[in-house]
Amino acid sequence: MTAIDLPPSLLATLPGRSYTDPAIFALEQAKIFEADWFCAVRSADLAGPGAFETVQIGKESVLVSRGRDGKLNAFLNVCRHRGARLCTSETGTVKRAFQCPYHAWTYGLDGKLIAAPNLTGMPDVDRTEFGLTKLHLREWLGYAWVCLADEPPSFEDTVIGAVTERLGGPTEIDAYGIDGLALGKRIEYDVKANWKQIIENFMECYHCATIHPELTEVLPEFADGYAAQYYVGHGAEFGGDIKGFTVDGSEGVDRLPGVSEAQDRKYYAITIKPGVFVNLVPDHVIIHRMFPLAPDRTLVRCDWLYLPEVVESGTDLSRSVELFHRVNLQDFEACERCQLAMDSRSYVNGGVLVPSEHHIGAFHDWVRARLA
């Protein structure tokens, strides 16, 4: 059955090869991940000057570090001499500079070339021009967002615009004070599935009654198959006897001070393309960051954020962490189950979207447009 044969209630998905073809994945790396704003690093993870983290964005290794002026910088993790990988560790701290282990070309925390063997005998070498390749960086919601494009798209229109589109206004998220929250827990998931599988799963709740018993107990309306982000400004309400966003519905921690009565006892989900999920509940925030590594492999870093005093007090957060940890495991298992069939002859032309999933069709249109 092709798209033109479908009844009006169904929409066609992307074809199976969109999730397996290395050529398509390479195109996505170039035209999506290396062209858009990418949520790379949590700012607080880089506490002082010289602290750094390396992340994979598309085909590039990116070095994010804090300078002596306290600001974050992002560079391609490549020595300008012969192209050696500058930093091979995922995280670390340097005292004053980054030095290439191959020929000892040395770069300041601002990326400027400051030393190299026999450099004084080459007075025509411009130390800024031959410094590290600097990338665009914006800090928002307590994270460093990096863009590899020479001319980045508008941060306001794309990143903040996704929040506006979902919540109905750009300031609705301010009530949660995310940039002032502290990391209570971080879990990494190595998912054997294409990055689009994960986004599509997060955007719909047609599967919720089937695989999320704990989540639908806390958010009963999800059992009806409609995800909260299907409606602009809509938050899924807690069940009548539910006290908090926890695995057993028991009471959580103190409500975030900026959260209004209208936002209380509600869950909001936001997708920021190409790979960030923001989950808002009254007492904490959960942020997923996706790092696509291969057509069939995606690293997902999930942060649970709470008020600093809650984290510092040693409060037991396990019941609130466990709820979404189970949701993650259930979702990622489902994504991996789908990934296994993407090369099947049965899925050559793709599958279908039911009415409660029609908004995923807009995501597919976005992907097609970016790769066109």
Side-chain angles (χ1 to χ4, degrees):
M1 180 176 288
T2 63
I4 59 173
D5 298 321
L6 293 177
S9 60
L10 300 178
L11 293 179
T13 69
L14 295 171
R17 68 180 183 279
S18 294
Y19 304 85
T20 61
D21 189 336
I24 292 178
F25 183 70
L27 200 60
E28 291 171 342
Q29 288 180 308
K31 294 199 170 187
I32 295 178
F33 309 123
E34 296 175 18
D36 290 334
W37 289 99
F38 193 98
C39 190
V41 173
R42 179 159 170 76
S43 300
D45 289 348
L46 305 180
F52 72 86
E53 183 172 336
T54 59
V55 296
Q56 190 72 23
I57 302 179
K59 299 183 296 295
E60 298 284 359
S61 175
V62 172
L63 171 65
V64 183
S65 66
R66 193 170 295 280
R68 296 201 175 283
D69 58 1
K71 296 180 180 179
L72 290 178
N73 297 301
F75 310 99
L76 294 182
N77 188 20
V78 178
C79 178
R80 294 296 305 281
H81 172 220
R82 296 267 296 281
R85 179 66 53 89
L86 191 61
C87 293
T88 56
S89 300
E90 287 189 6
T91 61
T93 302
V94 296
K95 290 185 178 180
R96 290 179 293 274
F98 296 100
Q99 186 175 80
C100 178
Y102 193 6
H103 295 94
W105 277 42
T106 305
Y107 305 89
L109 300 184
D110 60 357
K112 184 178 180 180
L113 177 65
I114 58 176
N118 307 318
L119 184 61
T120 55
M122 297 177 279
D124 57 333
V125 174
D126 187 299
R127 300 193 182 200
T128 298
E129 182 181 349
F130 287 91
L132 297 177
T133 302
K134 194 168 186 177
L135 306 172
H136 301 279
L137 184 148
R138 285 280 299 267
E139 290 190 72
W140 189 61
L141 301 182
Y143 288 82
W145 302 69
V146 176
C147 184
L148 277 64
D150 292 335
E151 295 293 334
S154 166
F155 192 86
E156 287 69 25
D157 291 345
T158 55
V159 177
I160 298 176
V163 175
T164 300
E165 182 181 3
R166 168 66 188 92
L167 298 182
T171 62
E172 297 299 313
I173 201 170
D174 296 344
Y176 295 83
I178 299 175
D179 56 355
L181 300 182
L183 182 67
K185 183 72 173 180
R186 172 174 294 157
I187 300 178
E188 291 192 356
Y189 306 87
D190 194 340
V191 187
K192 297 178 180 63
N194 185 272
W195 66 281
K196 297 187 294 296
Q197 296 274 12
I198 299 172
I199 286 190
E200 293 160 15
N201 173 277
F202 184 75
M203 292 180 73
E204 55 93 358
C205 213
Y206 191 45
H207 67 278
C208 288
T210 308
I211 70 172
H212 293 320
E214 298 87 0
L215 183 63
T216 53
E217 183 71 23
V218 174
L219 304 173
E221 70 177 70
F222 274 11
D224 295 332
Y226 287 91
Q229 56 185 317
Y230 191 75
Y231 309 98
V232 175
H234 176 73
E237 295 190 15
F238 293 4
D241 58 347
I242 297 300
K243 296 181 180 179
F245 197 75
T246 58
V247 70
D248 56 2
S250 59
E251 192 170 356
V253 295
D254 292 339
R255 189 171 84 186
L256 300 175
V259 172
S260 67
E261 290 294 330
Q263 295 166 318
D264 193 18
R265 295 182 56 78
K266 290 183 179 179
Y267 162 78
Y268 297 87
I270 307 165
T271 300
I272 302 177
K273 298 186 292 287
V276 177
F277 306 147
V278 181
N279 308 271
L280 307 172
V281 293
D283 62 345
H284 65 282
V285 172
I286 307 160
I287 293 184
H288 297 68
R289 289 175 287 150
M290 293 200 305
F291 298 83
L293 302 179
D296 58 354
R297 183 180 172 218
T298 307
L299 177 68
V300 181
R301 289 193 174 111
C302 189
D303 291 346
W304 282 259
L305 309 175
Y306 302 83
L307 288 171
E309 54 266 32
V310 169
V311 175
E312 293 165 4
S313 69
T315 300
D316 182 9
L317 304 174
S318 60
R319 286 175 292 112
S320 63
V321 170
E322 182 64 19
L323 175 56
F324 229 94
H325 175 52
R326 290 193 192 182
V327 171
N328 285 337
L329 292 177
Q330 292 156 353
D331 279 340
F332 298 154
E333 180 184 8
C335 292
E336 292 178 344
R337 184 182 294 267
C338 289
Q339 186 67 33
L340 293 172
M342 291 299 100
D343 273 333
S344 169
R345 71 181 71 179
S346 179
Y347 213 77
V348 167
N349 294 320
V352 295
L353 301 170
V354 300
S356 64
E357 302 171 305
H358 277 195
H359 58 301
I360 297 176
F363 168 62
H364 290 169
D365 290 341
W366 178 84
V367 171
R368 292 187 188 97
R370 297 307 303 274
L371 303 187

